[in-house]
Amino acid sequence: MYGVHKVLGIEGGYRGFYARNTIPLTPKVVNDIHKRGGTILGSSRGGHDTSKIVDSIQDRGINQVYIIGGDGTQKGASVIFEEIRRRGLKVVVAGIPKTIDNDIPVIDKSFGFDTAVEEAQRAINAAHVESESIENGIGFVKLMGRYSGFIAMHATLASRDVDCCLIPESPFYLEGPGGLFEFIEKRLKEHGHMVIVMAEGAGQELLSESIHANDQQDASGNKLLNDVGLWISQRIKDHFKKRKMAINLKYIDPTYMIRAVPSNASDNVYSPSLHTVQFMVQWQGIQASQLALLMEDMLTYHSGG
Ligand SMILES: Nc1ncnc2c1ncn2[C@@H]1O[C@H](COP(=O)(O)OP(=O)(O)O)[C@@H](O)[C@H]1O
Ligand SMILES: O=P(O)(O)OC[C@H]1O[C@](O)(COP(=O)(O)O)[C@@H](O)[C@@H]1O
């Protein structure tokens, strides 16, 4: 199909280009991967050595490279394209945006995002049931989203059980008028229970002000976040203890469980359609350099996690 005779999978992210063998992606191998969570190729952080990667592309005679991943991956793809252009190779580089955080602005929705939002509903439902079952119950759910609160926000809108959604894009504070504690107290007095959803990147600055800041990074250079959900939960408990108001807070962190589930029906429909766009670009006869420039324009000039 499409005149492509051999498709190679690179295992373990960028370093897989030069540190691992490739695996052939035949129709048989990929037949039912959409029914599994995770990735059959594996992922990694760090390990982007542009020169070694392009050497490997050149040595293996690869002429189309499809790079699937988030904003870091797309920055890496742009650098690879630059090196390919510098060497004058006839190789197409195409970036395929894939991120649970949905933080690649050029597309409205990354494949997998719908699945994550749907799975988050299960955690929110549990938080709601738990909070309703006890006096002054608070269900507190932490979701992924380093710098973008898309999962938290969409899960909140879909659920309709959430009273408060905290996202990195919208700063907030804890104490005093207009603060989170005041809102919780009001809500509990009115309804007797409530649900809070928080994206992992929200309120990081509050935590940093309060305890020694964690300035560690992962191998890709992403800031390692503190568990702000757990920290705020404790602050809420301490606050109401001081005010002698009994509350029952249940903290739920389903983050990795959400990332690990197989894609839902809507993502299974959406995902091939994105891939089709890539193939259509080739059918239309767009040159490698044009495609790469297009992808570069589309996918690389933005910041965030
Ligand atoms: N500016 C960059 N230049 C080259 N490679 C990068 C750049 N930023 C990230 N990468 C590489 O891209 C890969 C994925 O990045 P990471 O931030 O871990 O995930 P994501 O693609 O999901 O944002 C890593 O191998 C990382 O080293
Ligand atoms: O597996 P790890 O390294 O703990 O990654 C967790 C992070 O990965 C993500 O799922 C996606 O982030 P990236 O786009 O940087 O890969 C974040 O929401 C989360 O903070």
Side-chain angles (χ1 to χ4, degrees), residues 13-15 44-48 50 68-77 79 98-99 103 146 218-222 304-305:
Y14 280 127
R15 69 165 61 87
S44 67
R45 298 210 183 267
H48 186 286
T50 314
I68 306 170
D71 64 323
T73 302
Q74 304 308 332
K75 285 176 202 155
V79 181
K98 190 280 313 163
T99 157
D103 57 357
R146 281 181 206 272
D218 69 17
S220 292
N222 300 308

Side-chain angles (χ1 to χ4, degrees), residues 79-217:
V79 181
I80 290 172
F81 165 68
E82 284 303 336
E83 179 60 14
I84 283 173
R85 184 157 65 173
R86 197 188 63 76
R87 294 189 194 184
L89 306 177
K90 288 203 165 142
V91 177
V92 174
V93 178
I96 301 181
K98 190 280 313 163
T99 157
I100 194 169
D101 290 358
N102 206 32
D103 57 357
I104 298 186
V106 72
I107 50 162
D108 288 338
K109 195 170 68 171
S110 173
F111 57 91
F113 178 68
D114 256 4
T115 306
V117 170
E118 192 173 302
E119 191 62 15
Q121 300 297 294
R122 283 159 34 90
I124 294 174
N125 284 345
H128 185 230
V129 169
E130 287 289 334
S131 72
E132 267 191 327
S133 309
I134 192 156
E135 202 185 335
N136 285 343
I138 303 174
F140 194 118
V141 180
K142 186 184 85 169
L143 299 172
M144 280 188 175
R146 281 181 206 272
Y147 300 104
S148 307
F150 287 108
I151 300 179
M153 203 177 65
H154 282 246
T156 293
L157 291 172
S159 144
R160 318 232 156 221
D161 284 333
V162 179
D163 299 278
C164 173
C165 177
L166 304 168
I167 56 173
E169 293 90 335
S170 189
F172 64 96
Y173 50 93
L174 301 179
E175 321 247 6
L180 181 65
F181 296 153
E182 184 191 70
F183 177 75
I184 294 174
E185 186 165 336
K186 190 165 168 275
R187 204 71 193 155
L188 289 178
K189 283 183 175 154
E190 282 167 5
H191 295 276
H193 62 271
M194 71 178 297
V195 175
I196 302 173
V197 165
M198 174 174 216
E200 63 183 335
Q204 285 287 327
E205 68 289 349
L206 300 177
L207 203 160
S208 304
E209 280 163 18
S210 150
I211 59 169
H212 184 62
N214 172 9
D215 53 7
Q216 288 177 309
Q217 297 182 335

